[in-house]
Amino acid sequence: MAIIYKYSFAKKIIETNTIVGNNYNDVKELPQEIIYENNEIRINLNPKDVVYGLGQSTRGMNKRGGIYSNFCSDVVMHLEESPSLYGAHNFLLIHRDNPIALFFDTPSKVTFDVGFTDSNLIRITMEEWNGACFFIKGENSLDIIKEFRILIGESYLPPLYGFGYQQSRWGYKNEEDIKNVVDKYEENDIPLDAVYLDIDYMERFKDFTINSEAFPNLKDFIANLKQKGIHLIPIIDAGVKIESGYDVYEEGIKNNYFCQDENGNPFIASVWPGLVHFPDFLNSNASKWFGSHYKKLISLGLDGFWNDMNEPAIFYTPKRLEIAIKAVKETKDTLDLNVYDYWALLGNFEKLANNILDYKDMYHVVENKKLNHYDVHNLYGYNMVKGTSEYFKENYKERMFLISRSSCIGMHRYSGIWTGDNRSWWSHLELNIKMMPNLNMVGFLYSGADTGGFGSDATRELVCRWLEFSLFTPLFRNHSSIGTRNQELYNFSNPKEFSNLIKLRYALMPYLYSEYLKALKNNTLLFTPLALKYQNDECCLEIEDELIVGDSIMIAPVYKPNTTKRYVYLPEDMLLVRFRGYNDYDTKKMSKGHHFISVKLFEVLVFILPGKMLLLTEPKNSTSKLNMLDLIAIANVNPTAKYEYFLDDGKYINSEIKKYEIVANEEKTIIKL
Ligand code: MIG
């Protein structure tokens, strides 16, 4: 059992809507281990304590040794030292004998110094504390996480197709480009459930418009793809182009639905479409109104979207660009600048994007109160998604596919997230592995990284190793940036090997989908750090590159180049399944302890826990064709193995989950339900 307490700060800016549960007790004081003094919150750490949390953030799974600022940011380069990424997930769990977790429910920026300045001290600061600090105590860290998840509410459930393999690239320009991708996947017998439309499908980057030259007959095109079980997923950006006659712009102006500047005029910034206004998503009428515009796209047969640039990302504001240009003019063509003046001149331009000063110039009007954007920044992307999602739920029976770039806790009830603009770097594959459990803790079960890496050029080896990990993540999307090497799988030599990998994902779908439903309904983790499952095993405390996935298996992905063997620690006896393909594998009983195991390219190692099993089905080229009731169990019998299989129709919002008890007495068992 874990118990949640809520301590409210004197100041409250806005209702954040991040929590839904009432499983907490209000208290007037913080417990003795949380010191709140001089505007700073401090907690002492013992050398062996492991600190999890902060959802989407850089560095390791254990956040110790880093300093992080939770302020949703458009980060073009994720570095070890990047203080913020796209999400603000103010949750920390101190895993130790008497574990404790903290959650800061606030719309404003919070900075977490987790043993960075002083290795045995957590220091949490905010410009001015507002909102509430929830703290959770219990005997067991997993109980604490569960109680927290009950507090923040059930996670988003995408349609089954969201678990299929998805191909994306910024740069697909027209119908032919998309058709080419689909054809190549088909020719190479690689399963595919979705192709993404990035900004180029729009007419001059205007939300809810279609470039009709590039997509002359989108409706039929969508219908044809759907017949093959392939969905198109278009992007929607936060900024609305300023253009008279454009309905979204006109309606927003007429109804005061846009964010304002200090004088009450619509706030102006520049993003992809050029000059834009930002919908005031914190105003529920504005957010509903924007949500209702998806209807235009839904009526074409589209049933999935990705909401981008919703931190909101700003390329520049005219106001700050003017300052920069003026400064250039004032140099009067002097080429012999004092070096400090030169840096200042350059700095004016370098600091145009996502400038804090611009966020401070932007305002929301919520229930007749004018709020400065900077103070409520972390709620922006969340409320864009909320409007989108609520519109779907009110108007359709089917589940919509939805992912967002920006997020905060609470948004996990409405959509999934992709982890943003990573690079084709091995270190970003490693980051992806280490981030998954922390994302799960804060409710983001439906997530995944741009597999293969978004920026920079990917090698065949990196894409292979990344797929070998991502085939366990719910969102399984290969996405890359314009200007980088093409990384659709058919572009690499011997696509047959990639086909085997993707088919393995489809074969594992009964297990992966069932475990997703379980994690969602039981408020458990899909990716569990070993240290949380094997709490009495000291060896597990520092392991960050092996994960328990669901209830039955452990994985140990390869995330280093030129590597065909890796060190694996087994906290108990397990059955190793070495997959080369879904029906090409061998098994080996392995004993608890330290192992050095061979893992060639295109081999996937799965370790089945004692008394547990994996469920597989015959893979098909789309999830819509999978038979989720004709199964094969691969079990680590001890002396039998049991499994509770969760399944729903994968389609409707209110679909009922059926539960099947499966028992296996042999390593391989055929199961017909
Ligand atoms: O300024 O739409 O994270 O996935 O491909 C870049 C183009 C805007 C950022 C997204 C990325 C997407 C890209 N977008």
Side-chain angles (χ1 to χ4, degrees):
M1 253 305 270
I3 301 180
I4 307 185
Y5 303 89
K6 178 183 180 185
Y7 171 84
S8 299
F9 297 104
K11 185 174 170 187
K12 178 171 173 179
I13 300 176
I14 188 176
E15 205 60 67
T16 57
N17 297 316
T18 56
I19 71 154
V20 289
N22 48 18
N23 52 331
Y24 64 85
N25 308 293
D26 281 297
V27 289
K28 295 260 172 302
E29 265 169 55
L30 286 164
Q32 144 206 10
E33 61 262 58
I34 303 179
I35 308 146
Y36 177 32
E37 243 174 33
N38 304 330
N39 215 33
E40 179 177 270
I41 283 177
R42 291 197 300 277
I43 303 156
N44 288 306
L45 294 174
N46 307 306
K48 276 192 184 161
D49 296 352
V50 179
V51 183
Y52 295 106
L54 298 180
Q56 189 183 25
S57 53
T58 56
R59 295 191 169 89
M61 199 186 282
N62 181 348
K63 307 319 290 184
R64 287 185 78 161
I67 185 161
Y68 315 84
S69 273
N70 282 353
F71 188 77
C72 300
S73 304
D74 171 16
V75 186
V76 288
M77 183 104 79
H78 306 171
L79 301 174
E80 195 173 309
E81 65 189 41
S82 303
S84 325
L85 293 174
Y86 312 83
H89 307 144
N90 302 329
F91 174 80
L92 275 189
L93 165 68
I94 303 171
H95 176 59
R96 59 183 174 204
D97 274 348
N98 288 304
I100 183 167
L102 295 121
F103 164 54
F104 296 94
D105 184 9
T106 166
S108 319
K109 174 172 153 183
V110 189
T111 298
F112 296 85
D113 175 337
V114 188
F116 179 77
T117 307
D118 182 340
S119 57
N120 289 325
L121 187 65
I122 297 180
R123 300 167 66 175
I124 306 165
T125 50
M126 209 163 134
E127 279 151 43
E128 195 186 348
W129 283 100
N130 68 69
C133 167
F134 288 83
F135 55 96
I136 315 171
K137 290 182 153 195
E139 270 158 39
N140 183 316
S141 292
L142 289 171
D143 290 344
I144 287 181
I145 293 168
K146 184 177 271 204
E147 205 60 37
F148 176 62
R149 291 268 299 282
I150 294 169
L151 179 75
I152 60 175
E154 195 171 293
S155 301
Y156 165 71
L157 176 61
L160 182 67
Y161 89 76
F163 291 80
Y165 177 71
Q166 313 179 341
Q167 182 61 58
S168 181
R169 179 169 172 88
W170 173 16
Y172 299 151
K173 291 179 306 297
N174 51 32
E175 210 174 284
E176 268 118 72
D177 286 354
I178 305 285
K179 200 173 166 301
N180 179 48
V181 172
V182 171
D183 289 349
K184 289 274 177 53
Y185 270 91
E186 215 169 64
E187 277 163 33
N188 288 287
D189 192 26
I190 306 175
L192 181 69
D193 265 73
V195 183
Y196 281 65
L197 297 176
D198 209 316
I199 46 177
D200 295 302
Y201 81 91
M202 293 182 256
E203 184 211 324
R204 291 175 296 122
F205 307 130
K206 283 152 64 185
D207 280 336
F208 312 112
T209 67
I210 309 287
N211 174 349
S212 56
E213 257 167 56
F215 292 92
N217 203 347
L218 189 53
K219 199 167 179 177
D220 290 348
F221 187 58
I222 292 165
N224 287 336
L225 289 180
K226 254 201 195 152
Q227 293 235 304
K228 300 178 195 250
I230 295 171
H231 301 251
L232 277 188
I233 302 179
I235 197 168
I236 295 291
D237 281 6
V240 171
K241 185 173 178 63
I242 300 176
E243 185 179 270
S244 66
Y246 168 39
D247 58 347
V248 188
Y249 164 76
E250 298 283 359
E251 290 168 21
I253 290 289
K254 197 171 115 208
N255 298 295
N256 282 323
Y257 283 157
F258 293 127
C259 289
Q260 301 181 355
D261 64 16
E262 60 273 36
N263 302 318
N265 298 315
F267 178 83
I268 304 174
S270 179
V271 208
W272 287 106
L275 296 184
V276 300
H277 293 321
F278 291 120
D280 185 353
F281 294 119
L282 272 59
N283 163 349
S284 59
N285 290 332
S287 142
K288 270 194 198 127
W289 156 77
F290 192 84
S292 70
H293 275 280
Y294 285 78
K295 183 166 186 198
K296 288 184 206 150
L297 299 173
I298 297 170
S299 64
L300 295 172
L302 294 165
D303 53 7
F305 301 92
W306 48 318
N307 284 350
D308 190 21
M309 306 298 270
N310 50 356
E311 293 72 26
I314 293 177
F315 290 167
Y316 70 85
T317 57
K319 179 175 170 181
R320 223 153 294 287
L321 182 62
E322 194 181 2
I323 296 171
I325 290 175
K326 202 167 155 228
V328 171
K329 284 185 180 156
E330 277 165 8
T331 65
K332 302 204 175 54
D333 297 332
T334 315
L335 298 181
D336 181 13
L337 285 174
N338 164 309
V339 78
Y340 297 105
D341 292 343
Y342 168 69
W343 293 127
L345 205 61
L346 202 62
N348 285 336
F349 287 93
E350 283 172 345
K351 288 181 201 138
L352 282 177
N354 308 315
N355 194 310
I356 297 294
L357 295 173
D358 286 326
Y359 292 134
K360 288 189 172 173
D361 279 348
M362 185 170 146
Y363 293 85
H364 299 270
V365 181
V366 182
E367 285 158 11
N368 295 321
K369 245 174 67 192
K370 199 161 171 173
L371 299 176
N372 189 264
H373 173 78
Y374 177 74
D375 296 330
V376 294
H377 175 78
N378 289 338
L379 293 178
Y380 191 76
Y382 169 18
N383 282 285
M384 175 185 192
V385 162
K386 194 160 176 263
T388 310
S389 163
E390 284 176 346
Y391 175 76
F392 295 156
K393 287 200 182 130
E394 279 161 27
N395 293 281
Y396 304 91
K397 288 202 186 75
E398 297 188 3
R399 311 205 285 248
M400 277 287 164
F401 177 87
L402 186 60
I403 54 174
S404 169
R405 194 171 72 175
S406 178
S407 67
C408 71
I409 295 177
M411 200 194 84
H412 68 286
R413 299 192 294 272
Y414 301 93
S415 88
I417 52 173
W418 83 97
T419 58
D421 298 348
N422 60 6
R423 301 238 156 181
S424 300
W425 293 348
W426 290 92
S427 61
H428 281 179
L429 165 55
E430 185 179 347
L431 178 65
N432 182 195
I433 296 168
K434 295 179 176 178
M435 199 189 281
M436 291 313 291
N438 287 326
L439 286 174
N440 285 182
M441 287 177 203
V442 299
F444 289 99
L445 294 180
Y446 191 74
S447 57
D450 286 355
T451 297
F454 175 74
S456 305
D457 294 335
T459 60
R460 181 176 190 266
E461 187 194 4
L462 177 67
V463 172
C464 166
R465 291 306 194 191
W466 210 319
L467 290 169
E468 288 176 2
F469 172 65
S470 291
L471 70 83
F472 296 98
T473 67
L475 170 64
F476 187 29
R477 179 177 82 144
N478 176 338
H479 179 50
S480 59
S481 174
I482 196 165
T484 63
R485 180 181 183 188
N486 279 86
Q487 64 193 39
E488 294 81 6
L489 305 181
Y490 50 79
N491 287 306
F492 298 105
S493 61
N494 202 359
K496 178 81 187 97
E497 289 187 296
F498 285 102
S499 164
N500 288 343
L501 268 188
I502 307 301
K503 282 187 177 165
L504 177 60
R505 157 74 169 218
Y506 281 66
L508 289 172
M509 205 67 80
Y511 177 74
L512 295 174
Y513 188 62
S514 166
E515 290 303 313
Y516 188 92
L517 291 174
K518 272 192 215 169
L520 179 133
K521 288 293 167 194
N522 300 337
N523 294 297
T524 52
L525 302 176
L526 208 49
F527 294 93
T528 307
L530 265 53
L532 293 187
K533 180 163 171 70
Y534 302 96
Q535 300 202 357
N536 298 321
D537 186 340
E538 284 254 334
C539 286
C540 290
L541 268 186
E542 293 173 10
I543 296 178
E544 300 200 356
D545 59 357
E546 300 175 27
L547 290 168
I548 304 292
V549 183
D551 199 37
S552 302
I553 62 170
M554 186 185 93
I555 58 169
V558 172
Y559 54 92
K560 288 179 182 156
N562 310 311
T563 302
T564 53
K565 297 174 203 71
R566 67 156 282 178
Y567 162 77
V568 179
Y569 174 69
L570 297 188
E572 57 183 324
D573 294 352
M574 294 187 189
L575 179 74
L576 165 62
V577 188
R578 181 189 305 276
F579 284 107
R580 286 169 296 269
Y582 80 97
N583 57 2
D584 176 15
Y585 64 89
D586 42 62
T587 62
K588 189 180 170 194
K589 290 245 177 207
M590 308 222 20
S591 52
K592 170 182 159 83
H594 304 271
H595 298 270
F596 196 57
I597 305 180
S598 155
V599 47
K600 294 197 196 102
L601 216 51
F602 293 97
E603 284 185 342
V604 177
L605 305 186
V606 174
F607 300 86
I608 304 181
L609 275 49
K612 307 280 180 177
M613 70 177 80
L614 254 189
L615 289 179
L616 288 83
T617 184
E618 173 88 26
K620 295 282 175 337
N621 281 356
S622 154
T623 56
S624 60
K625 303 195 176 108
L626 290 175
N627 183 336
M628 300 285 272
L629 296 171
D630 258 350
L631 310 171
I632 291 171
I634 306 178
N636 183 359
V637 290
N638 179 39
T640 68
K642 289 202 182 94
Y643 185 76
E644 196 182 19
Y645 182 41
F646 278 41
L647 185 65
D648 69 3
D649 60 31
K651 217 171 167 176
Y652 295 100
I653 293 170
N654 292 320
S655 54
E656 183 202 336
I657 295 178
K658 284 202 183 129
K659 297 174 189 173
Y660 304 84
E661 294 296 331
I662 298 176
V663 180
N665 299 315
E666 282 159 85
E667 200 176 281
K668 183 173 171 185
T669 314
I670 292 180
I671 291 157
K672 286 194 191 295
L673 297 172

